[in-house]
């Protein structure tokens, strides 16, 4: 039995009556999001659009049942519902906001793809209508900003002209004569959608009546996907929401930069410039501080009988990079070893002047064997981390002892 597709003739029909021709219980199917009891219905006629051609299915009600999914099964359309209707004669009602949104996006896609093809020779090889955004994949070289803007502008001009969008029927040969370039495998009478003087495509989907109902098209990002270029876009109500959200974001950024939205670019680059300058100042200040502290530390670390000086220190409440600056500053003095740890995070850093003739990496490994942790380095500079930060003191004492023994 063939289901009559009411949306073929009138995509604006939201209510209809029909007779149930077939009804069966469906097993739970987690992969399609149906976890509870469900029934599959076939009606003699329907206004429900099934998922196909990149456009998602409609939702709505059949009698008292909620429609969970609508599937294209060749000549028939399967309606997955959450309960079995009692009466074989039912009234169907589709959720119009969802359907109209799909019609805006889908018709917008016809128009945008036509502009990419006609004006810039970029054919569309696939279309996806997502919950938030729509995408088309274009074949050919990377579309420049001029191409993306040019196609968007040309499509919007046709939207402003409110050209009729009409359904045409004909055989593949007849449609080819009318200018349909797409190869169609299906036999018999085909359905095509025409946007006056702009596009003619074979399509079984639902469309608006005139381009004005698309509202507006906003082209968003373009990114390479395998061999093609994926262009993101939104139409109509989605474009309205997107533009509103964009401005909201802009206002939030402006507020955090304490400027008006028009000045965010200059304010942001000024803030980044200041941040970079402050970073440099901080870095040189820390280097000065590290040299001064290293000099003081060396004064209170007299050489041992073998001539080796050991500076051992646990640092607290300083930027993480300071530990390395301090250890490096200490190890600039001949025959000196720096054993430094950061209280926060348990970082360990062993550095030596090459004349000290120890092996910092080996020393760190011995500490790790005893106290646990990870890290490594060279004979002059090794960096690691202790698993248990409460044992830092003990770990440094152990390292000092190891140096005395060797
Ligand atoms: Zn279509």
């Amino acid at each position: 039995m063939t289901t009559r597709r009411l949306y073929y003739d009138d995509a604006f029909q939201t209510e209809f009556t029909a007779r149930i021709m077939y009804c069966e219980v469906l097993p739970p199917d987690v992969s399609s999001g149906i976890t509870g009891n469900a029934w599959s219905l076939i009606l003699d006629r329907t206004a429900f659009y099934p998922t196909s051609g990149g456009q998602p299915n409609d939702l709505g009600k059949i009698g008292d049942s909620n429609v969970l999914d609508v599937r294209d099964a060749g000549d028939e359309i399967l309606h997955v519902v959450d309960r079995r209707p009692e009466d074989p004669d039912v009234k169907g009602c589709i959720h119009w906001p969802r359907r109209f949104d799909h019609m805006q996006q889908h018709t917008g896609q016809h128009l945008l793809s036509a502009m990419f093809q006609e004006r810039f020779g970029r054919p569309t090889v696939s279309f996806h209508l997502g919950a938030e955004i729509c995408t088309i994949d274009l074949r050919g070289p990377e579309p420049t900003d001029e191409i993306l803007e040019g196609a968007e502008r040309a499509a919007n001009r046709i939207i402003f002209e409110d050209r009729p969008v009409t359904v045409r029927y004909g055989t593949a040969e007849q449609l080819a004569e009318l200018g349909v370039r797409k190869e169609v495998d299906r036999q018999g009478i085909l359905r095509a959608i025409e946007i006056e003087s702009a596009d003619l495509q074979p399509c079984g989907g639902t469309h608006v009546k005139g381009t004005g109902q698309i509202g507006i098209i906003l082209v968003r990002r373009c990114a390479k996907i395998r061999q093609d270029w994926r262009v993101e876009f939104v139409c109509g109500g989605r474009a309205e929401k997107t533009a509103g959200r964009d401005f909201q974001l802009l206002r939030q950024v402006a507020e955090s930069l304490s400027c008006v939205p028009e000045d965010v670019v200059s304010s942001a680059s000024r803030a980044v410039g200041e941040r970079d300058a402050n970073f440099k100042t901080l870095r040189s200040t820390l280097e000065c501080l590290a040299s001064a502290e290293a000099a003081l530390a060396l004064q209170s670390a007299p050489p041992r009988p073998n001539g080796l000086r050991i500076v051992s220190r646990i640092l607290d409440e300083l930027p993480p990079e300071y530990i390395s600056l301090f250890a490096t500053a200490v190890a600039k003095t001949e025959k000196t070893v720096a054993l430094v740890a950061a209280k926060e995070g348990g970082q360990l850093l062993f550095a030596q002047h090459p004349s000290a003739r120890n092996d910092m990496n080996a020393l760190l490994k011995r500490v790790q064997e005893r106290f646990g942790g990870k890290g490594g380095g060279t004979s002059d500079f090794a960096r690691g981390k202790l698993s248990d930060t409460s044992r830092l003191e003990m770990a440094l004492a152990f390292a000092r002892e190891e140096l005395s023994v060797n």
Side-chain angles (χ1 to χ4, degrees), residues 111 115 119 152-165 195-199 208-217:
L111 185 55
M115 296 304 106
R119 293 172 180 248
E152 180 192 60
R153 203 175 315 121
N156 282 321
R157 214 168 292 145
I158 292 174
I159 288 174
F160 302 153
E161 290 170 11
D162 195 17
R163 296 193 197 168
V165 178
I195 299 175
E196 193 182 87
S197 309
D199 187 42
V208 294
K209 286 177 185 162
T211 55
Q213 288 178 326
I214 299 168
I216 193 146
I217 297 179

Side-chain angles (χ1 to χ4, degrees), residues 49 53 55 106-107 109-110 127 191-193 201-207:
Y49 184 77
Q55 182 178 329
H106 183 116
T107 318
Q109 180 265 314
H110 276 252
F127 164 52
R191 183 177 188 260
I193 301 303
Q201 288 292 323
C203 184
T206 56
H207 308 85

Side-chain angles (χ1 to χ4, degrees), residues 133-264:
I133 55 152
C134 309
T135 60
I136 47 175
D137 291 352
L138 300 177
R139 189 137 296 169
E142 181 177 8
T144 58
D145 285 348
E146 288 72 33
I147 290 179
L148 296 171
E149 285 164 22
E152 180 192 60
R153 203 175 315 121
N156 282 321
R157 214 168 292 145
I158 292 174
I159 288 174
F160 302 153
E161 290 170 11
D162 195 17
R163 296 193 197 168
V165 178
T166 46
V167 181
R168 296 261 211 154
Y169 289 98
T171 60
E173 294 76 32
Q174 286 168 332
L175 292 179
E177 271 173 38
L178 290 169
V180 172
R181 275 185 306 268
K182 206 159 134 189
E183 292 282 328
V184 189
D185 295 333
R186 280 169 62 184
Q187 299 297 310
I189 298 296
L190 299 171
R191 183 177 188 260
I193 301 303
E194 181 173 31
I195 299 175
E196 193 182 87
S197 309
D199 187 42
L200 181 64
Q201 288 292 323
C203 184
T206 56
H207 308 85
V208 294
K209 286 177 185 162
T211 55
Q213 288 178 326
I214 299 168
I216 193 146
I217 297 179
L218 290 183
V219 170
R220 310 284 288 169
R221 276 170 289 216
C222 175
K224 191 161 174 59
I225 298 290
R226 290 177 291 276
Q227 57 171 333
D228 300 315
W229 299 94
R230 181 157 294 173
V231 177
E232 285 183 18
F233 68 97
V234 281
C235 304
R238 292 190 188 194
E240 182 191 5
K241 272 203 207 88
T242 302
R245 262 203 308 264
D246 284 356
F247 190 64
Q248 194 61 33
L249 272 178
L250 190 60
R251 272 172 53 178
Q252 281 167 5
V253 175
E255 208 168 291
S256 63
L257 288 169
S258 307
C259 68
V260 293
E262 290 74 11
D263 292 343
V264 288

